[in-house]
Amino acid sequence: MTETPLDILVLGHNYAPEPVGIAVYTSGMAEMLAADGHEVRVICGTPCYPHWSVLPGYSHYKVTHRCEGGVAVTRLPHFVPAVPRGWRRILHHLSFALLATWAMLRACWRRRPDVIVAIAPSILSTAVARLVATCVRRPLWIHVQDLELEVALATGQLPGGRRTAALLGAAERWALSGARVSSISPAMCERLAAKLGRGAAVFEFRNWADPAVVHRAEAESPYRREWRIGRPHVVLYSGNIAAKQGVELVVEAARLLGWRTDIQFVICGNGANRAALEEAARGSGVMIHDLQPTELLGDLLALASVHVLPQIAGAADLVLPSKLPNMLASGRPVIATAGEGTGIAGELGGAGLLTPPHDARALADAIASLIDDPARRAAMGAAGRRLAAARWDKREILEQFGRELRTLVVEAGYNRPVGGVIRPRFAQHQPAGRIEPVQQHP
């Protein structure tokens, strides 16, 4: 690396070894920046997601410092609720944010970074990053993985009603103002640009598909033997089991297709709603397993004939499920419960089908239609692999982010572009450093 390395301080609640969600991408980003020669320090929480219990080998009460994957990682203890709802969830984030304030100031006192990167969720920790960046006069990049306030409202998990929403909304607007902001999909970028107001700019910084998934796509999955699956077709959901996913719909669809002896439904996941899902699935024939190791993700996804991506109504533009790129990379069609014109619909393209949220009959009919049409299933799977290669290439995405991060540091005052969402069109393989503006709709 010929350019001067950057000193990058990252604040993110979730980090490896959490096996799914935001942690995978925050740790992947940090480790690649470190591999490219940058000095990377991460301040994160104790790993507890999606099981909502502290993982073995990690402290409930102590601050720990380790070098992991070339990254200096500081882990902070915090409150971990067994049932992460209402005020307990807010206390979970607040306890981390309070200790993160001390940890960030301490890290900047020992060695002032060139740039601070904060990962949202949560709103509270990004507000901490904004406060510290202002105090030490360093540029701040906030990357929004999840519009958590809107998701909490959509799923009825926010306590205190309008007062709490107004308070958190004010904290969110303050945290995001005066920073460079990015998110993971065009729809989420548009929402953020509208939230921040006229003249705001939001960069698109996508998540990526795991390269190992592609290599395993054509091989028979060893899980078929391990789990003794004798039926020729598997309908698979793998990921977090929480309110916004609406995984119960998969069980309802399985019951409607219970007469089909050629289809096996499999759910792999953990999360706050796991116990309720197991109760709902009794007698349905659905296999429920824990999340599988990350290194076996390719084997797991190769098990599927069809992937299902359930989402509750109203969530399709608030999150872009991190599991979608890997589903597409596996070469299997995806059935998503989302409406036409939503962000998920735009990402899916010709690689799958859409059914209305909460409509188990429509989901069951879509599953049956794909299982009964192997040619269509193969065509959609191939389209998914092309999409994954064009839009979710890990190396290209992270190299683009590294260039933009350096630009932020180098530019005096880092004047933010005006005109809405700024999105690199990876599908067209643009030359390095070039970004095209996508105009914000009025």
Side-chain angles (χ1 to χ4, degrees), residues 19-344:
V20 295
I22 295 167
V24 174
Y25 299 99
T26 302
S27 54
M29 173 197 73
E31 289 175 5
M32 183 166 171
L33 289 170
D36 285 345
H38 299 293
E39 187 77 21
V40 183
R41 294 174 285 165
V42 169
I43 295 172
C44 63
T46 301
C48 62
Y49 183 84
H51 305 81
W52 293 100
S53 61
V54 175
L55 295 184
Y58 292 88
S59 175
H60 292 70
Y61 310 108
K62 295 181 180 179
V63 177
T64 61
H65 306 277
R66 299 180 185 175
C67 182
E68 302 176 14
V71 178
V73 179
T74 298
R75 296 188 185 276
L76 308 178
H78 51 79
F79 171 64
V80 179
V83 181
R85 294 191 180 96
W87 289 109
R88 285 170 291 187
R89 193 181 190 99
I90 291 178
L91 182 57
H92 168 69
H93 290 297
L94 180 61
S95 63
F96 173 76
L98 291 174
L99 198 52
T101 305
W102 163 81
M104 290 283 286
L105 289 170
R106 180 175 181 270
C108 292
W109 177 264
R110 298 184 69 179
R111 190 173 72 250
R112 189 166 295 190
D114 295 311
V115 62
I116 295 172
V117 178
I119 310 298
S122 79
I123 294 169
L124 295 175
S125 58
T126 52
V128 167
R130 167 81 196 282
L131 174 65
V132 173
T134 302
C135 289
V136 301
R137 298 183 180 181
R138 284 297 184 265
L140 171 65
W141 186 306
I142 292 180
H143 181 52
V144 180
Q145 286 272 6
D146 189 330
L147 295 167
E148 63 176 321
L149 181 57
E150 287 88 342
V151 170
L153 289 170
T155 56
Q157 296 186 65
L158 191 67
R162 291 183 179 181
R163 289 186 178 182
T164 305
L167 181 62
L168 291 176
E172 182 181 52
R173 286 189 295 275
W174 183 83
L176 296 179
S177 63
R180 182 162 291 185
V181 181
S182 61
S183 194
I184 60 177
S185 73
M188 290 178 65
C189 288
E190 293 287 355
R191 277 184 172 263
L192 280 170
K195 184 188 292 284
L196 293 173
R198 189 174 299 276
V202 180
F203 284 75
E204 184 178 328
F205 171 28
R206 285 180 170 266
N207 292 332
W208 54 85
D210 187 332
V213 172
V214 177
H215 299 317
R216 292 292 301 161
E218 301 305 324
E220 179 176 315
S221 172
Y223 282 105
R224 180 171 286 278
R225 297 187 301 275
E226 181 179 340
W227 291 342
R228 299 179 182 178
I229 298 175
R231 298 184 177 188
H233 298 292
V234 172
V235 175
L236 177 66
Y237 171 82
S238 177
N240 187 28
I241 301 175
K244 66 185 177 184
Q245 277 77 31
V247 186
E248 296 80 6
L249 192 70
V250 179
V251 175
E252 294 178 42
R255 291 190 185 279
L256 291 172
L257 292 174
W259 60 275
R260 295 281 302 247
T261 59
D262 59 336
I263 302 175
Q264 177 64 59
F265 282 77
V266 177
I267 295 174
C268 288
N270 297 91
N273 287 15
R274 167 74 181 256
L277 181 71
E278 289 177 329
E279 182 62 31
R282 288 185 187 278
S284 68
V286 177
M287 290 184 175
I288 301 179
H289 295 279
D290 288 338
L291 284 169
Q292 299 302 297
T294 303
E295 59 271 19
L296 298 179
L297 179 61
D299 290 332
L300 176 64
L301 297 186
L303 177 65
S305 299
V306 174
H307 295 293
V308 286
L309 182 62
Q311 292 284 298
I312 66 167
D317 284 338
L318 304 179
V319 295
L320 180 62
S322 58
K323 60 185 74 68
L324 178 59
N326 289 322
M327 287 178 171
L328 296 174
S330 73
R332 283 23 174 210
V334 179
I335 301 175
T337 62
E340 296 285 351
T342 60
I344 289 179

